[in-house]
Amino acid sequence: MGVSGLHPEQSFPQAAKAEVNNPQLRANLRKVTTTIREKRLKAVGELPHWEELRVLGAATKDEALANLSDRLLELESSVRARGGHVHWARDAAEARELVAQIARGHGVTELIKVKSITSDEIELNAALDAHGIHAIETDLAELIVQLSRDTPSHILVPAIHRNRAEIQALFNRELGDPEHLSDEPAVLAGAARRYLRQKFLTTRMAVSGANFAVADTGTVCVVESEGNGRMCLTLPEVLVSVMGIEKVLATWEDVSVFMELLPRSSTAERMNPYTSFWSGVTPGDGPQEFHLILLDNGRTDVLADEVGRQTLRCIRCSACLNVCPVYERAGGHAYGSVYPGPIGAVLTPQLLHMQDKNANTLPGASSLCGACFDACPVRIDIPQVLIYLRGEVNAGKGTTLESVAMGAMRYAMSEGWRFEGAVKLARTGQGPLVHDGQITALPGLLGGWTQSRDLNPFPPQSFREWWKKREPGGES
């Protein structure tokens, strides 16, 4: 299975149909998401001012986005003043080529990576392979995905769809350990540690993403839980960070807000075990060459959309995935993008300019229950954006049978007498469809409603008819 980047190979309904029929996948997802949800609720419950923090987080991100061009220029100036290099990438191709150029310039054929969904977005690993450069994932879950030639299925836990037995078989096959590994987590983690430690100590170049960047100091931030990121950020000679332009903040005070919001929303911890900040280059300490690649890749188009721009507040915590009933049943691979779940359903099609046919099915991958908005630490109204994007998709289709049918329904419902007439016609016309008191199959476009449910027929008397015939002065 290859890395898909942003482009789904199938529509969501097609992909989800296969995934929901995998009982092992559903069991894995149910166990992990349930555990994360419960832990997060406890962590969030410790803060009586949690809702106020959410409001502040949303306002802080909105302020940064409203002044994005100024913030980015300030960040560029600050990074260069501290000995770093700044590059601008309009799209994924430019970002990939920049990383490859830097690696070739240092004669690098192997590099190590901090977990970075942005690098997955631009399909960096495959591009580097084409240049003869092997990228090694150092996050445990990302390593599992890479060794199994799989794709991530979760923003925070990329291998959430794998259980211990599957990982045990993978590590025994791929890591070449002289001993037969058991499925104990400590044993499996130890095998990965032995493999990676040698890479940390011998590899000259690393690639990371960025959780945040501070414009006025040129500081870049990465938060993680395993320590592999800290190794990548301090041991190699050359460090390249690929950062989406929406990650920039104005000041250190802004960062402090997200140091409370992010860990509780993602790993259900009060703080991340490893939080790394660096500003440019420090002689004799850490990488002696630092490159920051500022990636657009559709983000400025999202920013220009009055409704859709709130999506750029996202801090990649994955809280919305863990509460989503659709994600829990279908899994991340059904979305066909490195951004799965509710946030992926709104972010992926927007980054692709609403031009990708398969990605445009993602806004339909939701029950609109609103749990994602309640969980989002920066108050992205994902249901609102989903409905908005559904409208954009339908508008792009032009005149269809569905739009004609919806237009007819709007006409019928716009006047009471029309609605009453339509109900009477429907009651008369439903006769051949009713069997044993149920409608089990509808014709044509309406057939989707009865694929997984039966419908009650129209009753002999409508509410309006009953209301008109009630006794004068009687109770309704």
Side-chain angles (χ1 to χ4, degrees), residues 89-126:
R90 287 172 294 186
D91 53 28
E94 286 192 1
R96 293 193 298 259
E97 183 57 31
L98 283 166
V99 178
Q101 285 179 4
I102 296 167
R104 287 197 303 265
H106 290 274
V108 168
T109 58
E110 186 175 81
L111 56 82
I112 50 179
K113 286 183 63 196
V114 186
K115 177 180 178 296
S116 165
I117 197 168
T118 305
S119 71
D120 293 337
E121 173 190 328
I122 65 174
E123 301 178 67
L124 179 61
N125 290 8

Side-chain angles (χ1 to χ4, degrees), residues 179-450:
E179 301 177 6
H180 182 74
L181 302 172
S182 72
D183 68 350
E184 289 298 317
V187 173
L188 297 174
R193 183 182 297 113
R194 288 190 293 274
Y195 168 75
L196 292 172
R197 186 57 58 92
Q198 187 266 340
K199 300 298 182 183
F200 289 140
L201 296 175
T202 59
T203 307
R204 297 173 49 227
M205 177 173 166
V207 173
S208 82
N211 291 97
F212 309 102
V214 183
D216 66 351
T217 62
T219 302
V220 181
C221 170
V222 164
V223 298
E224 38 117 10
S225 298
E226 299 174 11
N228 58 288
R230 182 69 57 81
M231 294 283 197
C232 293
L233 298 170
T234 57
L235 294 177
E237 300 169 14
V238 181
L239 173 62
V240 179
S241 298
V242 183
M243 186 189 91
I245 56 175
E246 80 280 14
K247 301 292 184 69
V248 65
L249 300 172
T251 67
W252 271 96
E253 286 77 9
D254 294 337
V255 176
S256 66
V257 177
F258 301 102
M259 289 298 102
E260 288 200 76
L261 287 171
L262 179 55
R264 283 180 166 82
S265 298
S266 56
T267 56
E269 296 171 295
R270 295 184 182 93
M271 64 181 294
N272 290 97
Y274 296 90
T275 302
S276 301
F277 296 95
W278 68 97
S279 303
V281 172
T282 302
D285 183 13
Q288 297 301 289
E289 186 172 322
F290 171 58
H291 297 262
L292 178 62
I293 298 175
L294 299 174
L295 175 69
D296 186 331
N297 206 32
R299 286 162 172 81
T300 53
D301 290 333
V302 180
L303 184 64
D305 190 305
E306 186 175 346
V307 177
R309 71 173 60 132
Q310 61 183 292
T311 309
L312 296 179
R313 293 180 196 158
C314 179
I315 57 175
R316 309 294 192 266
C317 69
S318 76
C320 62
L321 280 69
N322 300 324
V323 299
C324 178
V326 176
Y327 175 86
E328 184 177 312
R329 287 155 181 79
H333 288 153
Y335 295 81
S337 164
V338 297
Y339 298 111
I343 190 62
V346 293
L347 181 60
T348 299
Q350 289 187 92
L351 290 178
L352 295 175
H353 316 290
M354 303 301 294
Q355 298 298 311
D356 187 288
K357 180 180 178 181
N358 290 331
N360 284 355
T361 66
L362 293 177
S366 172
S367 65
L368 299 178
C369 66
C372 50
F373 172 68
D374 292 338
C376 178
V378 288
R379 294 178 56 84
I380 302 171
D381 194 343
I382 294 177
Q384 179 199 35
V385 182
L386 286 167
I387 294 170
Y388 168 71
L389 294 181
R390 290 179 186 183
E392 293 288 294
V393 171
N394 289 331
K397 293 179 181 178
T399 302
T400 63
L401 287 175
E402 182 180 9
S403 66
V404 171
M406 294 301 291
M409 289 181 64
R410 179 173 59 188
Y411 176 78
M413 292 181 177
S414 62
E415 293 285 350
W417 64 270
R418 292 178 193 157
F419 179 73
E420 291 177 7
V423 169
K424 290 178 181 178
L425 286 174
R427 184 189 301 142
T428 302
Q430 72 181 347
L433 303 175
V434 180
H435 302 282
D436 297 325
Q438 295 287 314
I439 298 176
T440 58
L442 289 172
L445 290 174
L446 299 177
W449 282 96
T450 51

